[in-house]
Amino acid sequence: MPKLIVCGRGGCGKSTLVTLLAKALGERERVLVVDTDESNLGLCKMLGQEPPEMSLMVSLGGKPVVREKLLASMSQENGEKVGFFREDLSLEDLPPACVSWDGSVGNLRIGKIEHSMEGCACPMGSITRSLLKELKVNKNDWVIADTEAGIEHFGRGVLEGVDAILMVVDPSYESILLAEKAKGLAEEAHKKFFVVLNKVDEATEPTLRQELTDRKIEVGGVINHSLDISRANLVGNTLDVNMQRESVDELVDKIIGLCR
Ligand SMILES: Nc1ncnc2c1ncn2[C@@H]1O[C@H](COP(=O)(O)OP(=O)(O)OP(=O)(O)O)[C@@H](O)[C@H]1O
Ligand SMILES: [Mg+2]
């Protein structure tokens, strides 16, 4: 029943990693990719899939309805933890219009910012938290959540229902500092935590590894900087696992070992 959340600083490669992992895992098992990023639109293109007909936000009545429900619950004890789904929700229970399946890989959008002045993204965070908490997946099913940049979802409690946190670390000091912070937050929440180095080369990988080792941060995998990946992402083409086959397969084996 592995549910993973992928996080990291802006532009480090979260959506790229989510896509490569989903495609590699999808060769053997069923994977639902949950797009929790309220701003970016490109994940479907990376996956080579159509966006679902409807976001979960729309299926729940739209942002004003969800916000009202949140506000109404605020006065109650534990109010911010309002639930939007029933317990033991299975992948089959999700509204079909909200999931676009291509073979064994599906994608679902929590909701995107649609209008100027529409208000903060709290409703998206609450739906994400509730979905990841209630969704129960079979032994051979995976849920991989792509997140917006930064660590706000830690504060929102979005990771409550996940089994592991995968942090993407690109070769930058900002990423190292964020990984250190996120590791502490993950420990506080009693969640498995590991990082994947991305966009590294022989010049940057040793330094990045050393900085992480010094901070006792476990490196679960490495994806090199790849011209194939950057070219595909430049024009909105689908990513192919073969662009980094060996590294992605190694990472998948590591994740399976960590999560089961
Ligand atoms: N291994 C890689 N090799 C080369 N370029 C990469 C690699 N991984 C990601 N990129 C490039 O980095 C950029 C950001 O990637 P991506 O959109 O996956 O990051 P992100 O963390 O999801 O960004 P955001 O924070 O905006 O959601 C893209 O232009 C992508 O092509
Ligand atoms: Mg992204």
Side-chain angles (χ1 to χ4, degrees):
M1 45 156 285
K3 288 185 269 183
L4 287 181
I5 190 162
V6 177
C7 60
R9 79 171 191 134
C12 64
K14 298 177 288 300
S15 304
T16 299
L17 247 292
V18 166
T19 301
L20 295 174
L21 279 178
K23 289 191 169 216
L25 282 164
E27 289 171 359
R28 12 178 159 175
E29 303 184 339
R30 192 164 62 149
V31 186
L32 177 69
V33 174
V34 179
D35 181 1
T36 79
D37 188 326
E38 57 262 12
S39 303
N40 290 321
L41 303 165
L43 182 59
C44 287
K45 284 284 184 193
M46 291 186 190
L47 286 164
Q49 295 186 353
E50 291 302 317
E53 272 171 65
M54 194 187 277
S55 68
L56 262 192
M57 175 74 79
V58 170
S59 81
L60 291 167
K63 201 171 185 182
V65 172
V66 172
R67 188 187 292 115
E68 274 310 305
K69 193 167 175 189
L70 279 177
L71 288 173
S73 69
M74 287 295 184
S75 53
Q76 296 161 19
E77 199 185 336
N78 216 17
E80 282 183 63
K81 302 236 163 136
V82 62
F84 293 93
F85 308 98
R86 67 171 180 76
E87 283 177 26
D88 288 338
L89 188 77
S90 74
L91 295 191
E92 285 70 27
D93 296 327
L94 294 167
C98 292
V99 191
S100 165
W101 286 101
D102 177 16
S104 54
V105 180
N107 82 81
L108 172 152
R109 282 180 167 180
I110 298 296
K112 300 288 177 190
I113 293 166
E114 304 290 354
H115 303 288
S116 296
M117 317 294 282
E118 69 170 47
C120 74
C122 295
M124 280 86 153
S126 295
I127 295 172
T128 305
R129 185 195 55 72
S130 179
L131 176 74
L132 293 178
K133 181 166 176 241
E134 304 307 348
L135 207 49
K136 298 288 176 295
V137 287
N138 299 325
K139 196 160 62 68
N140 294 324
D141 288 342
W142 289 78
V143 173
I144 308 179
D146 186 21
T147 62
E148 80 279 6
I151 52 171
E152 196 184 347
H153 33 282
F154 283 80
R156 287 182 191 274
V158 162
L159 45 86
E160 190 182 352
V162 305
D163 300 296
I165 299 159
L166 183 164
M167 181 141 200
V168 183
V169 174
D170 64 353
S172 69
Y173 198 65
E174 197 62 55
S175 253
I176 296 166
L177 292 180
L178 200 63
E180 192 173 23
K181 175 88 189 178
K183 179 180 181 257
L185 296 175
E187 276 167 7
E188 213 175 272
H190 307 290
K191 297 291 172 187
K192 287 176 192 152
F193 176 85
F194 62 99
V195 304
V196 174
L197 313 187
N198 187 34
K199 302 197 223 184
V200 290
D201 56 25
E202 54 193 26
T204 52
E205 187 185 333
T207 313
L208 189 54
R209 268 188 187 275
Q210 189 58 55
E211 291 286 343
L212 294 166
T213 305
D214 291 349
R215 290 166 174 80
K216 299 189 172 42
I217 297 172
E218 182 179 354
V219 176
V222 181
I223 308 287
N224 283 327
H225 186 276
S226 148
L227 276 180
D228 289 336
I229 291 178
S230 56
R231 280 197 202 105
N233 280 340
L234 174 64
V235 291
N237 280 349
T238 308
L239 299 181
D240 189 321
V241 184
N242 289 324
M243 291 171 173
Q244 287 287 304
R245 168 63 70 179
E246 234 176 273
S247 312
V248 177
D249 282 348
E250 262 177 45
L251 180 57
V252 164
D253 288 342
K254 174 88 182 177
I255 293 173
I256 290 175
L258 272 170
C259 291
R260 289 209 169 132

